[in-house]
Amino acid sequence: MISIDRTISGLDERPVVGQLEELGIPRHHYGVVRAVQSWRRAAVPPDAAFALWMLRECVPDRGGLPRRREATAEDTGPTIRYMQLALAAGETMRTDPAIGHFAGWIMECQLEDGSLPANLGVAYGEVGTTARALRVLRQVEAADATRRMRNFLIGTSVEAAHGRAWSYAREEPTLVTGATSLAALALLEIDPHEALLPEVVTFLLDAQEPCGGWSEVPGHEATIHNTFNVVRFLQAARETGTAGSEIDDALARARAWFRRKIQRRPPRIVLDLAYALRLAAQLELTQSREVERLAMRLCRDRGRLLSPSSDLYAETEIAAIALLECSRHLDSLAAVLPCWQWRWSLPSVPPPFLCRTAYLYELLYGLFHARWWIRTVDYLVAASVIDRATGLLLGTIAALGFVDDFVTGALASTGMDARGIASIILVGGVIVLWLAVKCCASSSLLYAFRTSLWSLLAACLLTWLIYTPTDLAPGMLTIVGLRWLVIDVIAHTAGSSGLLNRLIPR
């Protein structure tokens, strides 16, 4: 609402405070606006910033980051990936205390041989996990831990028929391209002149599939995930001079394979979409219209990526890293490109983890960007109008089923005899008991009765619409009272249980 063009860049510093006042937003929210402005200065797209925001809310007081909010950490992957994202966004241990907390926890998990296990409680370390941890710990100056990890990686390399490579762990005999690429990249960043790196380049070039991609185990179907790992290392090796022109043909074939892959069968799940974007950045294909469509598809899934119930490792973190890498690659290009400008747009609807009211209200806020509409929705939120209307509707529908023709016929046939008086006492007693329950919940008899007036009005209206000829007492009173009771119970239950949120999923 306070952005000129609905992007981060449109948050002009001067009119911000005045616009907050006009919209009735408290002044202490000005800090939130300043934080959003800092995203653009740090070149971090809103979707990546929102992901980091949500992840910080999931940081535990002790231990590593779990895959799911409120769960317990079972593996080291989410913690490593959080540090990777935070450091890539420009955070430091001073600006983000979670980085130091997680770095210490990773070092606690380090085994005696210097390796790091992928899953907690496992007695052996994994090459790929150790390599990824080494890359992030190098940036926080954990010298002893990184030295031991480097020694582990060098000591576990295996001589292959063509070059040198790694398996998943010491206990695994099968050489794989994923662990090999990750280990080689970590060693390359420490020392570009590491003696075994040229042999690793030889192995990876020999492992390329005829189609142009790479598979985890040479000879199998190529995947985007493994191709990204290999291409990222080869590109880094060329930049440092470790590899030369011999990789140009391999990268050209990989580029052609990737184009065919996303044209014939575009990836659809979050993990595949994220790695496709990361590979596109490595192959300098982010300007392609097909790649931009993949990015837009990934961002449209914001309701799941930024949901408190998301998989933090396989959805939230990897998607944010992919968007950040692509955005940084686009920013590095000399020409100002018309593509991908949407990446700086702020979402009309807040991410699910920031929604504090019924999601329907958030949809209403994003429907029109006019001040009169915002004030109207503010009133609807304050008065819970839609929640109450939904509860009354559900209660009225239930009353039609509970107080059906058989019940109304039986009550309408009663007179001022013992049966009629008993029905009045029974229905009236239950209504009084229900109002007492509501009074306990709200601590106010007046409030409990006032909130029931709409249910009474709905019961009278329903009785008038489907009128059954009978005397006012006891027939009409018991029919209206019974319908009032059913409608009010359903309406109150729907409102207090947040049923409106469940009817409209995020």
Side-chain angles (χ1 to χ4, degrees):
M1 280 301 300
I2 61 177
S3 174
I4 298 172
D5 55 2
R6 302 184 188 178
T7 68
I8 295 180
S9 304
L11 288 172
D12 191 356
E13 186 75 24
R14 290 167 296 178
V16 164
V17 177
Q19 289 176 321
L20 289 176
E21 291 288 342
E22 287 182 19
L23 293 172
I25 301 175
R27 291 185 180 181
H28 63 264
H29 284 80
Y30 180 57
V32 178
V33 178
R34 295 294 299 273
V36 174
Q37 290 173 325
S38 71
W39 299 349
R40 189 64 182 94
R41 292 193 295 270
V44 178
D47 284 288
F50 279 128
L52 196 53
W53 186 343
M54 189 187 82
L55 290 167
R56 282 176 180 156
E57 293 187 353
C58 300
V59 174
D61 296 331
R62 298 178 58 186
L65 187 70
R67 272 183 175 261
R68 304 277 182 180
R69 174 177 282 195
E70 307 297 338
T72 304
E74 298 178 350
D75 56 345
T76 54
T79 302
I80 297 172
R81 193 162 276 174
Y82 175 90
M83 293 183 64
Q84 182 183 353
L85 174 61
L87 293 169
E91 298 288 358
T92 63
M93 286 194 292
R94 182 180 61 84
T95 60
D96 186 357
I99 295 178
H101 166 73
F102 286 147
W105 181 77
I106 289 175
M107 289 187 282
E108 290 177 3
C109 296
Q110 193 174 16
L111 302 179
E112 292 183 3
D113 62 357
S115 65
L116 191 71
N119 299 302
L120 302 181
V122 178
Y124 65 89
E126 190 182 65
V127 170
T129 302
T130 304
R132 293 168 57 221
L134 173 57
R135 295 186 65 219
V136 296
L137 289 180
R138 277 188 62 250
Q139 301 178 61
V140 297
E141 300 179 356
D144 180 65
T146 55
R147 177 185 56 79
R148 293 168 58 202
M149 288 180 176
R150 175 180 178 272
N151 293 337
F152 168 79
L153 293 178
I154 294 176
T156 51
S157 64
V158 178
E159 185 175 354
H162 299 88
R164 203 164 190 84
W166 280 267
S167 61
Y168 288 127
R170 293 182 188 273
E171 295 77 9
E172 298 289 338
T174 306
L175 302 180
V176 293
T177 60
T180 298
S181 303
L182 291 169
L185 181 63
L187 295 175
L188 177 70
E189 292 177 347
I190 294 176
D191 182 10
H193 304 292
E194 184 67 54
L196 56 77
L197 292 178
E199 296 181 77
V200 176
V201 173
T202 302
F203 170 81
L204 293 175
L205 292 178
D206 183 70
Q208 188 174 22
E209 303 299 331
C211 64
W214 277 268
S215 60
E216 180 72 341
V217 178
H220 292 74
E221 183 180 359
T223 63
I224 291 177
H225 183 172
N226 288 290
T227 303
F228 161 74
N229 284 327
V230 175
V231 169
R232 179 176 58 172
F233 166 69
L234 293 179
Q235 292 280 29
R238 181 166 61 180
E239 291 175 2
T240 58
T242 304
S245 58
E246 70 274 12
I247 70 171
D248 291 343
D249 178 64
L251 293 177
R253 292 169 55 203
R255 187 176 292 107
W257 170 82
F258 178 67
R259 283 183 176 276
R260 294 193 304 269
K261 184 79 172 177
I262 62 175
Q263 288 174 355
R264 293 177 181 175
R265 187 180 297 177
R268 297 190 177 277
I269 65 173
V270 171
L271 195 63
D272 291 342
L273 283 169
Y275 274 104
L277 294 179
R278 299 182 76 186
L279 178 56
Q282 292 294 328
L283 295 174
E284 300 182 352
L285 293 174
T286 51
Q287 302 176 59
S288 167
R289 183 58 184 166
E290 291 83 2
V291 173
E292 185 176 5
R293 277 197 288 264
L294 294 180
M296 295 174 70
R297 179 181 296 174
L298 181 63
C299 290
R300 279 198 299 267
D301 208 9
R302 187 181 294 119
R304 180 170 60 173
L305 299 178
L306 299 178
S307 170
S309 61
S310 66
D311 186 330
L312 301 182
Y313 178 75
E315 292 177 342
T316 305
E317 291 175 328
I318 191 60
I321 290 172
L323 292 171
L324 181 58
E325 289 180 353
C326 285
S327 182
R328 293 283 172 82
H329 173 71
L330 290 167
D331 291 339
S332 68
L333 300 178
V336 178
L337 303 172
C339 61
W340 285 69
Q341 293 303 315
W342 52 265
R343 73 186 189 275
W344 300 113
S345 299
L346 294 167
S348 298
V349 179
F353 78 97
L354 287 178
C355 290
R356 299 294 183 261
T357 60
Y359 196 58
L360 177 61
Y361 292 124
E362 306 296 347
L363 295 175
L364 291 176
Y365 274 120
L367 193 58
F368 296 108
H369 293 273
R371 286 174 173 78
W372 66 268
W373 177 252
I374 297 298
R375 294 186 180 278
T376 300
V377 179
D378 284 342
Y379 170 77
L380 296 178
V381 172
S384 301
V385 172
I386 298 180
D387 302 71
R388 293 180 179 179
T390 303
L392 289 174
L393 175 62
L394 295 175
T396 303
I397 295 173
L400 288 172
F402 286 111
V403 190
D404 56 9
D405 292 342
F406 176 79
V407 176
T408 55
L411 294 176
S413 63
T414 58
M416 290 302 296
D417 51 11
R419 193 163 65 95
I421 296 174
S423 64
I424 292 178
I425 295 175
L426 181 61
V427 173
V430 175
I431 291 176
V432 171
L433 181 61
W434 167 244
L435 290 176
V437 172
K438 289 186 68 177
C439 179
C440 292
S442 60
S443 301
S444 171
L445 179 61
L446 178 61
Y447 178 81
F449 183 74
R450 190 172 70 242
T451 56
S452 297
L453 287 179
W454 290 105
S455 301
L456 177 58
L457 179 62
C460 293
L461 181 61
L462 180 62
T463 304
W464 176 71
L465 289 175
I466 50 176
Y467 174 71
T468 302
T470 183
D471 296 332
L472 176 63
M476 189 64 66
L477 290 178
T478 53
I479 293 174
V480 172
L482 193 57
R483 283 174 174 158
W484 178 24
L485 178 65
V486 172
I487 294 174
D488 201 43
V489 170
I490 298 295
H492 178 78
T493 304
S496 60
S497 62
L499 184 62
L500 187 61
N501 266 341
R502 297 186 178 93
L503 290 176
I504 305 178
R506 287 164 170 75

